[in-house]
Amino acid sequence: MAGFSRNVFVMAILFSSLLSFTEARDHLVGGKTDSWKIPTSESDSLNRWAEKSRFLVGDSLVWKYDGAKDSVLEVSKRDYVTCNTSSPIAMHNDGNTKIVLEHSGAYYFISGVKGNCEQGQKLVVVTLSKRRYADAPVPSPVEFDGPAIAPTSNAVSSKASLVVAFGVLVSFWL
């Protein structure tokens, strides 16, 4: 009976691990507080940070900044490229901005402070669909021009691999 209890415990751990792959995450923009600022170098750019991250539908971006001195504007691609602050999709200036990524594709953000966008204070985030992201390469936000790209590989996703491994373990222990 002790072996059965251990098996149930192991299966519960594996199942909860599988579920954690589908949970939405909060991403602190830049990976740290107060990163919403003019970058000191190209390597300090928020787009470099975004290129190294994977964003899924349902995840959130979180900005921590001084709301009395700056703002976050969600803008169109055209306004992102031209640093146009006059017609944002949304404007946030609370200093603790959280934006849920509700669809796949590109999101464009710029600073609302005149001149900051032109000096590099801007961000492009490419969001992937949850259902087929595991084997997809992370698209470069700088070069992105269209909806999120679904993976073309015939490889089995990590999530599917976990389900198969879980099934094998269950059949082995039972």
Side-chain angles (χ1 to χ4, degrees):
M1 191 65 161
F4 179 76
S5 297
R6 183 177 55 106
N7 293 342
V8 170
F9 176 74
V10 170
M11 289 187 303
I13 296 285
L14 288 172
F15 187 70
S16 65
S17 296
L18 177 65
L19 290 177
S20 70
F21 281 102
T22 62
E23 292 178 13
R25 296 183 1 202
D26 286 352
H27 299 272
L28 181 60
V29 171
K32 59 187 178 198
T33 302
D34 295 328
S35 62
W36 187 238
K37 61 185 177 186
I38 297 170
T40 56
S41 68
E42 181 63 30
S43 63
D44 191 34
S45 161
L46 289 176
N47 284 332
R48 292 283 182 230
W49 167 80
E51 287 174 355
K52 297 174 188 172
S53 303
R54 185 173 298 250
F55 306 97
L56 301 177
V57 171
D59 286 355
S60 297
L61 296 176
V62 179
W63 281 262
K64 305 272 187 186
Y65 59 97
D66 184 348
K69 296 180 181 176
D70 208 342
S71 60
V72 176
L73 305 182
E74 182 176 353
V75 296
S76 67
K77 180 180 181 180
R78 172 178 279 170
D79 288 346
Y80 173 85
V81 171
T82 62
C83 291
N84 178 12
T85 60
S86 66
S87 57
I89 295 167
M91 181 179 131
H92 309 275
N93 60 2
D94 59 359
N96 188 23
T97 299
K98 182 174 182 176
I99 297 175
V100 177
L101 303 171
E102 296 177 342
H103 59 80
S104 61
Y107 288 81
Y108 300 93
F109 304 96
I110 63 174
S111 170
V113 175
K114 186 164 180 61
N116 283 14
C117 176
E118 290 85 353
Q119 294 181 63
Q121 188 178 350
K122 54 193 201 174
L123 171 66
V124 179
V125 170
V126 179
T127 306
L128 301 173
S129 165
K130 281 186 179 182
R131 62 182 169 198
R132 294 182 62 195
Y133 80 91
D135 295 320
V138 177
S140 170
V142 177
E143 299 171 4
F144 189 81
D145 189 27
I149 301 165
T152 56
S153 168
N154 288 329
V156 178
S157 72
S158 298
K159 188 174 177 182
S161 298
L162 284 174
V163 170
V164 170
F166 181 71
V168 169
L169 287 172
V170 169
S171 64
F172 177 72
W173 278 315
L174 295 180

